Amino acid sequence: MNTTDTRRTVDAVWRIESARLIAALARLTHDVGLAEDLAQEALVAALEQWPQSGVPENPGAWLLGTARHRAIDLFRRNERLRQKHEVLARALDLDAHVDTPNLDAIDSEIEDDLLRLIFTACHPVLSTEARAALTLRVLGGLTTEEIARAFLAPPATVAQRIVRAKRTLSEARVPFEVPGKGELPARLASVLEVIYLIFNEGYAATAGDVWIRPDLCEDALRLGRILAGLLPTESEVQGLVALMEIQASRLRARTDSSGEPILLLDQDRGRWDQLLIRRGLAALDRAEKLSSPLGPYTVQAAIAACHARARTAGETDWPRIAALYDALAQLMPSPVVELNRAVAVSMAFGPAEGLELVDALTEAPALKSYYLLPTVRGDLLVKLGRGAEARAEFERAAGLTSNTRERALLLARAADCSDG
């Protein structure tokens, strides 16, 4: 195998094994930052050695064994941690003459390790941006450059964000553990928020020259599926997975061949991924059986399911969607939810009723710079034959978005408006 092929293999192994590797090391060292450093050292060793020695039969075990040996060597060299070394050496149970550890003894703990790592990376002591970056790094296996591209931030900024996040976790002495029952709901909400934030940035990029980033959606989906496997009886975890599966099913239909956005009601539903829809509906069924009343992610998944079940846009059950948005507004009241509810009401009961609800939101501080408010208002004005007003709203929306594809779409819609 040549160097290029080996590099591709190492990259693939890292994507698959990095989260498990860092999770196992974090449990043993009680330090996420140190765990990632050790994992990275093992990766470098693989890049150096595998081109000559060949890829091991069990590459994940090789990486873990190398990282564990590096850990014990580090503690042996560090005088300040001599006493800790003795404790950790016993915990690591290392034999310096064994090249590849037997993973059977720790296989049963891998799932717990991953769950601990998820809750640690998404700890509320960190900012939302830091949680997202750290999660993509230690659980998604993304490089700093890949995370920077995803969020359109300078790589140096993302690198500093990750370093500060690891330092904050260490200084705050955040325990590497699954929170207890009393703390679990709030901590789980933090985890779900981060995963959905990552998904949404892929589903509708807030800035840049592309409207969707499917790779980012796939990263979020993978994290969500892992979490659902680790916490199978948590209804909101199942609800979030259902929501992401169903939304991801539309990705191929959301843009045309040149990357221009295609709105939901204009999409070719034959391009929707039916496998993802089936997976999403199955996850929604699990969520609904696990909890009553339903949580906000499950309600949003139920809304997405209404679209997924409709064979054509005209068959969409808009009264049910409006009712679900009523329920969502009770669970998580916000101007954005009310705006979405107004759209559903307009589709179910007419644009005049929808516009009345939208007009009530125009002074909401949270929506002052939100481009979708004038977008929705413009759409309703078009349906009411008020073209000149609609054009002004689309132009205002275009000035508020940072995504060039979205801006072009809004300006085109403004140009199509007649004076009416």
Side-chain angles (χ1 to χ4, degrees), residues 115-116 118-126 131 169 172-192 231 234:
L115 196 54
R116 293 184 188 107
I118 290 171
F119 278 106
T120 302
C122 296
H123 197 283
V125 73
L126 303 174
R131 278 181 272 155
L169 291 174
R173 299 185 180 279
V174 171
F176 188 69
E177 63 183 15
V178 177
K181 287 186 178 180
E183 197 182 357
L184 183 61
R187 292 284 301 279
L188 184 57
S190 176
V191 173
L192 298 180
L231 295 173
E234 290 291 338

Side-chain angles (χ1 to χ4, degrees), residues 5 9 12 22 32 91 93 96 104 140 178 180 187 195 225 238 241 307 312 347 352 392 394-395 408 411 414:
D5 290 340
T9 300
I22 295 170
V32 172
D93 193 25
D104 292 343
V178 177
R187 292 284 301 279
I195 294 175
R225 290 166 181 163
Q238 300 293 335
V241 170
H307 295 293
T312 66
M347 297 299 294
F394 288 135
E395 288 173 347
L411 291 174

Side-chain angles (χ1 to χ4, degrees), residues 351-390:
E353 290 197 37
L355 184 61
E356 183 178 349
L357 295 175
V358 171
D359 285 345
L361 298 170
T362 55
E363 298 303 317
L367 299 182
K368 283 292 185 182
S369 301
Y370 189 50
Y371 79 97
L372 284 178
L373 176 62
T375 299
V376 170
R377 195 167 189 276
D379 185 58
L380 295 175
L381 289 168
V382 167
K383 292 177 180 178
L384 291 169
R386 294 159 60 178
E389 294 174 77

Side-chain angles (χ1 to χ4, degrees), residues 129-387:
E129 294 81 4
R131 278 181 272 155
L134 188 61
T135 297
L136 285 172
R137 178 59 176 255
V138 301
L139 284 156
L142 273 65
T143 65
T144 300
E145 290 73 19
E146 287 171 328
I147 298 169
R149 283 198 299 271
F151 289 98
L152 299 179
T157 299
V158 172
Q160 291 173 1
R161 190 174 293 162
I162 292 171
V163 168
R164 284 197 298 268
K166 291 187 286 190
R167 184 186 305 128
T168 298
L169 291 174
S170 178
E171 292 175 350
R173 299 185 180 279
V174 171
F176 188 69
E177 63 183 15
V178 177
K181 287 186 178 180
E183 197 182 357
L184 183 61
R187 292 284 301 279
L188 184 57
S190 176
V191 173
L192 298 180
E193 176 192 17
V194 168
I195 294 175
Y196 197 40
L197 181 151
I198 293 168
F199 181 88
N200 274 333
E201 188 58 34
Y203 190 73
T206 54
D209 298 325
V210 295
W211 197 38
I212 60 174
R213 295 187 174 92
D215 289 349
L216 211 52
C217 291
E218 289 172 10
D219 286 325
L221 256 176
R222 183 162 58 86
L223 292 172
R225 290 166 181 163
I226 289 172
L227 190 62
L230 298 173
L231 295 173
T233 60
E234 290 291 338
S235 63
E236 276 294 80
V237 176
Q238 300 293 335
L240 176 58
V241 170
L243 175 58
M244 294 191 297
E245 299 274 15
I246 295 172
Q247 287 184 317
S249 73
R250 308 174 196 149
L251 285 173
R252 289 182 301 192
R254 279 174 60 76
T255 57
D256 63 18
S257 58
S258 62
E260 296 301 321
I262 302 175
L263 301 179
L264 175 63
L265 298 184
D266 299 326
Q267 289 170 16
D268 177 1
R269 299 186 178 214
R271 298 189 68 199
W272 287 3
D273 190 319
Q274 294 302 313
L275 174 60
L276 289 178
I277 288 175
R278 288 194 296 272
R279 291 179 64 124
L281 294 178
L284 175 60
D285 183 62
R286 290 192 296 272
E288 291 175 337
K289 289 177 179 177
L290 285 168
S291 177
S292 181
L294 305 181
Y297 288 111
T298 305
V299 172
Q300 290 176 81
I303 292 170
C306 289
H307 295 293
R309 291 185 175 114
R311 290 174 297 178
T312 66
E315 295 178 26
T316 306
D317 189 350
W318 286 107
R320 173 165 170 74
I321 292 176
L324 287 168
Y325 270 117
D326 284 340
L328 186 61
Q330 297 296 316
L331 290 170
M332 45 179 293
S334 80
V336 173
V337 172
E338 290 297 333
L339 182 61
N340 285 317
R341 187 172 76 88
V343 172
V345 167
S346 75
M347 297 299 294
F349 308 112
E353 290 197 37
L355 184 61
E356 183 178 349
L357 295 175
V358 171
D359 285 345
L361 298 170
T362 55
E363 298 303 317
L367 299 182
K368 283 292 185 182
S369 301
Y370 189 50
Y371 79 97
L372 284 178
L373 176 62
T375 299
V376 170
R377 195 167 189 276
D379 185 58
L380 295 175
L381 289 168
V382 167
K383 292 177 180 178
L384 291 169
R386 294 159 60 178

